[in-house]
Amino acid sequence: MSTTDQRRTGDTLDVDRTDLAYRTWLKEAVRKVQADANRSADTHLLPFPLPEDWGIDLYLKDESTHPTGSLKHRLARSLFLNGLCNGWIRPGRPVIEASSGSTAVSEAYFAQLIGVPFIAVMPRTTSAEKCRLIEFHGGRCHFVDDPRTMYEESARLAAETGGHYMDQFTYAERATDWRGNNNIAESIFRQLRLERFPEPAWIVATAGTGGTSATLARYVHYMQYDTRICVADPDNSCFFEGWVTGDPYVSCDRGSRIEGIGRPRMEPSFLPGAIDRMMKVPDAAAVAAVRALEHVIGRKAGGSTGTGLWTALRIVAEMRAQGRQGSVVTLLCDPGDRYLDKYYSDAWLAGQGLDITPYAAAIETFLAGGSWPD
């Protein structure tokens, strides 16, 4: 319990709410989160094999090797440090998050690490494997039928329980130290240092909160690089339309089928003015791309990786057609074993009405001959 010592000295009011027990808990919680980062090695930058004489190198930043298996591990760590140091996360009180899965898995991990309860507010369509992982890390899944209601339901639960609504969609770009401190952008450029094209022509990201694209773009501008940032947006997401029209209030009437990216509203953490280019990628193209990725490098990945890879391959084709050389980087966001019942299931594709055949053929034609089919 904190104590309040209020006393009057002349006209001065002095209120001291120092809570030594809380400060001791806080120091230990921050230490544990920082120690997790200190134990973690950097993630790999994987080359995607292209003919050397094309003069274009394509890389995937493999974020699936984090302790919780996705790009969102970086974000969750930053959000927890932000919430702890702001005094928002308190001992014994739950942390609540609106998430389509991967952020919730990572936040459940950090909540368990510091010993606070965690509740994930998620669409009922979230993959069963992600739900299992949240529960494995001690979290609880709270489902909603309409993804657009996740925000309000999370805020309601926080008010009801006295917990903290983390709100990744507002705080992702604020919580991340985009100037450096081993963020994803600094890591990419450091790993490219000895490559033949160390400053990439393009970095491709996908947007869920918008925090990753904001970090990449800000870092590039801060470091005065010529690298451009492209954001790939899936079906049933409003980011592309909002970016093109400049309308911050644009919305969609349904949720994205590509878990982890795409939003039904323009999120506060998405910074349209910081990025250079966007592509709207059909979900069937994203699925075709992750299946092609498995064929080429033997790795399964999630649909968000496919959305980015499809975009990166089109940029490589564009550079090749223009006779330009250079490198392109995209992200391997999380492993495909979380989506075996979705993106790797022909039955799921049929149920969704998705035909990946023409997109798979386009990728095959490009990788075989170097020209993107009309």
PDB file of all heavy atoms in Angstrom, residues 246-264:
ATOM      1  N   GLY A 246      -5.608   9.689 -48.260  1.00  0.00           N
ATOM      2  CA  GLY A 246      -5.310  10.628 -47.186  1.00  0.00           C
ATOM      3  C   GLY A 246      -6.425  10.762 -46.175  1.00  0.00           C
ATOM      4  O   GLY A 246      -6.452  11.709 -45.377  1.00  0.00           O
ATOM      5  N   ASP A 247      -7.342   9.785 -46.176  1.00  0.00           N
ATOM      6  CA  ASP A 247      -8.484   9.818 -45.257  1.00  0.00           C
ATOM      7  C   ASP A 247      -8.154   9.015 -43.996  1.00  0.00           C
ATOM      8  O   ASP A 247      -8.077   7.793 -44.056  1.00  0.00           O
ATOM      9  CB  ASP A 247      -9.708   9.227 -45.954  1.00  0.00           C
ATOM     10  CG  ASP A 247     -10.958   9.252 -45.084  1.00  0.00           C
ATOM     11  OD1 ASP A 247     -10.881   9.748 -43.941  1.00  0.00           O
ATOM     12  OD2 ASP A 247     -12.011   8.770 -45.552  1.00  0.00           O
ATOM     13  N   PRO A 248      -7.991   9.669 -42.846  1.00  0.00           N
ATOM     14  CA  PRO A 248      -7.652   8.939 -41.622  1.00  0.00           C
ATOM     15  C   PRO A 248      -8.837   8.189 -41.013  1.00  0.00           C
ATOM     16  O   PRO A 248      -8.658   7.445 -40.052  1.00  0.00           O
ATOM     17  CB  PRO A 248      -7.170  10.043 -40.682  1.00  0.00           C
ATOM     18  CG  PRO A 248      -7.909  11.260 -41.126  1.00  0.00           C
ATOM     19  CD  PRO A 248      -8.048  11.124 -42.610  1.00  0.00           C
ATOM     20  N   TYR A 249     -10.019   8.375 -41.577  1.00  0.00           N
ATOM     21  CA  TYR A 249     -11.221   7.762 -40.998  1.00  0.00           C
ATOM     22  C   TYR A 249     -11.767   6.619 -41.841  1.00  0.00           C
ATOM     23  O   TYR A 249     -12.847   6.099 -41.559  1.00  0.00           O
ATOM     24  CB  TYR A 249     -12.310   8.820 -40.811  1.00  0.00           C
ATOM     25  CG  TYR A 249     -11.859   9.968 -39.947  1.00  0.00           C
ATOM     26  CD1 TYR A 249     -11.588  11.209 -40.509  1.00  0.00           C
ATOM     27  CD2 TYR A 249     -11.651   9.802 -38.572  1.00  0.00           C
ATOM     28  CE1 TYR A 249     -11.152  12.267 -39.722  1.00  0.00           C
ATOM     29  CE2 TYR A 249     -11.209  10.860 -37.780  1.00  0.00           C
ATOM     30  CZ  TYR A 249     -10.964  12.079 -38.367  1.00  0.00           C
ATOM     31  OH  TYR A 249     -10.525  13.126 -37.588  1.00  0.00           O
ATOM     32  N   VAL A 250     -11.035   6.214 -42.870  1.00  0.00           N
ATOM     33  CA  VAL A 250     -11.497   5.117 -43.709  1.00  0.00           C
ATOM     34  C   VAL A 250     -11.573   3.838 -42.884  1.00  0.00           C
ATOM     35  O   VAL A 250     -10.813   3.640 -41.938  1.00  0.00           O
ATOM     36  CB  VAL A 250     -10.565   4.951 -44.926  1.00  0.00           C
ATOM     37  CG1 VAL A 250      -9.192   4.452 -44.494  1.00  0.00           C
ATOM     38  CG2 VAL A 250     -11.155   4.013 -45.958  1.00  0.00           C
ATOM     39  N   SER A 251     -12.511   2.942 -43.241  1.00  0.00           N
ATOM     40  CA  SER A 251     -12.673   1.704 -42.481  1.00  0.00           C
ATOM     41  C   SER A 251     -13.146   0.586 -43.397  1.00  0.00           C
ATOM     42  O   SER A 251     -13.574   0.828 -44.533  1.00  0.00           O
ATOM     43  CB  SER A 251     -13.677   1.889 -41.335  1.00  0.00           C
ATOM     44  OG  SER A 251     -14.954   2.230 -41.846  1.00  0.00           O
ATOM     45  N   CYS A 252     -13.050  -0.652 -42.895  1.00  0.00           N
ATOM     46  CA  CYS A 252     -13.526  -1.835 -43.603  1.00  0.00           C
ATOM     47  C   CYS A 252     -14.618  -2.493 -42.768  1.00  0.00           C
ATOM     48  O   CYS A 252     -14.660  -2.334 -41.550  1.00  0.00           O
ATOM     49  CB  CYS A 252     -12.389  -2.836 -43.826  1.00  0.00           C
ATOM     50  SG  CYS A 252     -11.047  -2.231 -44.842  1.00  0.00           S
ATOM     51  N   ASP A 253     -15.454  -3.269 -43.434  1.00  0.00           N
ATOM     52  CA  ASP A 253     -16.576  -3.882 -42.714  1.00  0.00           C
ATOM     53  C   ASP A 253     -16.290  -5.316 -42.294  1.00  0.00           C
ATOM     54  O   ASP A 253     -17.179  -6.006 -41.795  1.00  0.00           O
ATOM     55  CB  ASP A 253     -17.851  -3.831 -43.552  1.00  0.00           C
ATOM     56  CG  ASP A 253     -17.722  -4.589 -44.868  1.00  0.00           C
ATOM     57  OD1 ASP A 253     -16.641  -5.166 -45.125  1.00  0.00           O
ATOM     58  OD2 ASP A 253     -18.700  -4.591 -45.641  1.00  0.00           O
ATOM     59  N   ARG A 254     -15.059  -5.786 -42.485  1.00  0.00           N
ATOM     60  CA  ARG A 254     -14.698  -7.133 -42.057  1.00  0.00           C
ATOM     61  C   ARG A 254     -13.217  -7.177 -41.717  1.00  0.00           C
ATOM     62  O   ARG A 254     -12.465  -6.265 -42.069  1.00  0.00           O
ATOM     63  CB  ARG A 254     -15.040  -8.163 -43.128  1.00  0.00           C
ATOM     64  CG  ARG A 254     -14.229  -8.016 -44.392  1.00  0.00           C
ATOM     65  CD  ARG A 254     -14.481  -9.167 -45.362  1.00  0.00           C
ATOM     66  NE  ARG A 254     -15.786  -9.063 -45.980  1.00  0.00           N
ATOM     67  CZ  ARG A 254     -16.234  -9.921 -46.896  1.00  0.00           C
ATOM     68  NH1 ARG A 254     -15.482 -10.957 -47.242  1.00  0.00           N
ATOM     69  NH2 ARG A 254     -17.414  -9.768 -47.441  1.00  0.00           N
ATOM     70  N   GLY A 255     -12.788  -8.257 -41.037  1.00  0.00           N
ATOM     71  CA  GLY A 255     -11.397  -8.391 -40.638  1.00  0.00           C
ATOM     72  C   GLY A 255     -10.559  -9.096 -41.697  1.00  0.00           C
ATOM     73  O   GLY A 255     -11.076  -9.794 -42.566  1.00  0.00           O
ATOM     74  N   SER A 256      -9.244  -8.935 -41.586  1.00  0.00           N
ATOM     75  CA  SER A 256      -8.311  -9.545 -42.529  1.00  0.00           C
ATOM     76  C   SER A 256      -8.220 -11.049 -42.325  1.00  0.00           C
ATOM     77  O   SER A 256      -8.249 -11.547 -41.203  1.00  0.00           O
ATOM     78  CB  SER A 256      -6.922  -8.917 -42.346  1.00  0.00           C
ATOM     79  OG  SER A 256      -5.949  -9.616 -43.085  1.00  0.00           O
ATOM     80  N   ARG A 257      -8.080 -11.780 -43.452  1.00  0.00           N
ATOM     81  CA  ARG A 257      -7.838 -13.223 -43.371  1.00  0.00           C
ATOM     82  C   ARG A 257      -6.373 -13.530 -43.094  1.00  0.00           C
ATOM     83  O   ARG A 257      -6.030 -14.646 -42.726  1.00  0.00           O
ATOM     84  CB  ARG A 257      -8.234 -13.893 -44.697  1.00  0.00           C
ATOM     85  CG  ARG A 257      -9.713 -14.140 -44.859  1.00  0.00           C
ATOM     86  CD  ARG A 257     -10.013 -14.790 -46.182  1.00  0.00           C
ATOM     87  NE  ARG A 257      -9.694 -13.928 -47.300  1.00  0.00           N
ATOM     88  CZ  ARG A 257     -10.401 -13.884 -48.436  1.00  0.00           C
ATOM     89  NH1 ARG A 257     -11.458 -14.653 -48.580  1.00  0.00           N
ATOM     90  NH2 ARG A 257     -10.044 -13.083 -49.415  1.00  0.00           N
ATOM     91  N   ILE A 258      -5.514 -12.553 -43.294  1.00  0.00           N
ATOM     92  CA  ILE A 258      -4.078 -12.744 -43.072  1.00  0.00           C
ATOM     93  C   ILE A 258      -3.768 -12.309 -41.644  1.00  0.00           C
ATOM     94  O   ILE A 258      -3.670 -11.112 -41.349  1.00  0.00           O
ATOM     95  CB  ILE A 258      -3.237 -11.953 -44.087  1.00  0.00           C
ATOM     96  CG1 ILE A 258      -3.649 -12.301 -45.523  1.00  0.00           C
ATOM     97  CG2 ILE A 258      -1.759 -12.241 -43.869  1.00  0.00           C
ATOM     98  CD1 ILE A 258      -3.469 -13.761 -45.901  1.00  0.00           C
ATOM     99  N   GLU A 259      -3.625 -13.285 -40.756  1.00  0.00           N
ATOM    100  CA  GLU A 259      -3.477 -12.975 -39.336  1.00  0.00           C
ATOM    101  C   GLU A 259      -2.229 -12.144 -39.075  1.00  0.00           C
ATOM    102  O   GLU A 259      -1.162 -12.396 -39.622  1.00  0.00           O
ATOM    103  CB  GLU A 259      -3.419 -14.273 -38.520  1.00  0.00           C
ATOM    104  CG  GLU A 259      -4.745 -14.999 -38.453  1.00  0.00           C
ATOM    105  CD  GLU A 259      -4.703 -16.160 -37.480  1.00  0.00           C
ATOM    106  OE1 GLU A 259      -3.849 -16.171 -36.578  1.00  0.00           O
ATOM    107  OE2 GLU A 259      -5.540 -17.075 -37.630  1.00  0.00           O
ATOM    108  N   GLY A 260      -2.397 -11.144 -38.224  1.00  0.00           N
ATOM    109  CA  GLY A 260      -1.279 -10.312 -37.810  1.00  0.00           C
ATOM    110  C   GLY A 260      -1.131  -9.025 -38.584  1.00  0.00           C
ATOM    111  O   GLY A 260      -0.459  -8.103 -38.130  1.00  0.00           O
ATOM    112  N   ILE A 261      -1.739  -8.941 -39.771  1.00  0.00           N
ATOM    113  CA  ILE A 261      -1.662  -7.705 -40.550  1.00  0.00           C
ATOM    114  C   ILE A 261      -3.045  -7.356 -41.076  1.00  0.00           C
ATOM    115  O   ILE A 261      -3.957  -8.178 -41.089  1.00  0.00           O
ATOM    116  CB  ILE A 261      -0.661  -7.807 -41.716  1.00  0.00           C
ATOM    117  CG1 ILE A 261      -1.062  -8.910 -42.705  1.00  0.00           C
ATOM    118  CG2 ILE A 261       0.744  -8.020 -41.188  1.00  0.00           C
ATOM    119  CD1 ILE A 261      -0.226  -8.896 -43.989  1.00  0.00           C
ATOM    120  N   GLY A 262      -3.162  -6.111 -41.553  1.00  0.00           N
ATOM    121  CA  GLY A 262      -4.443  -5.640 -42.053  1.00  0.00           C
ATOM    122  C   GLY A 262      -5.348  -5.226 -40.911  1.00  0.00           C
ATOM    123  O   GLY A 262      -5.449  -5.945 -39.913  1.00  0.00           O
ATOM    124  N   ARG A 263      -5.966  -4.071 -41.026  1.00  0.00           N
ATOM    125  CA  ARG A 263      -6.839  -3.585 -39.961  1.00  0.00           C
ATOM    126  C   ARG A 263      -8.109  -3.007 -40.555  1.00  0.00           C
ATOM    127  O   ARG A 263      -8.116  -2.480 -41.677  1.00  0.00           O
ATOM    128  CB  ARG A 263      -6.131  -2.510 -39.133  1.00  0.00           C
ATOM    129  CG  ARG A 263      -4.870  -2.953 -38.448  1.00  0.00           C
ATOM    130  CD  ARG A 263      -5.089  -4.108 -37.509  1.00  0.00           C
ATOM    131  NE  ARG A 263      -6.115  -3.807 -36.519  1.00  0.00           N
ATOM    132  CZ  ARG A 263      -6.796  -4.731 -35.831  1.00  0.00           C
ATOM    133  NH1 ARG A 263      -6.564  -6.008 -36.054  1.00  0.00           N
ATOM    134  NH2 ARG A 263      -7.685  -4.364 -34.944  1.00  0.00           N
ATOM    135  N   PRO A 264      -9.218  -3.046 -39.786  1.00  0.00           N
ATOM    136  CA  PRO A 264     -10.472  -2.472 -40.272  1.00  0.00           C
ATOM    137  C   PRO A 264     -10.566  -0.963 -40.108  1.00  0.00           C
ATOM    138  O   PRO A 264     -11.556  -0.355 -40.513  1.00  0.00           O
ATOM    139  CB  PRO A 264     -11.526  -3.180 -39.403  1.00  0.00           C
ATOM    140  CG  PRO A 264     -10.814  -3.489 -38.136  1.00  0.00           C
ATOM    141  CD  PRO A 264      -9.395  -3.790 -38.526  1.00  0.00           C
TER     142      PRO A 264
END
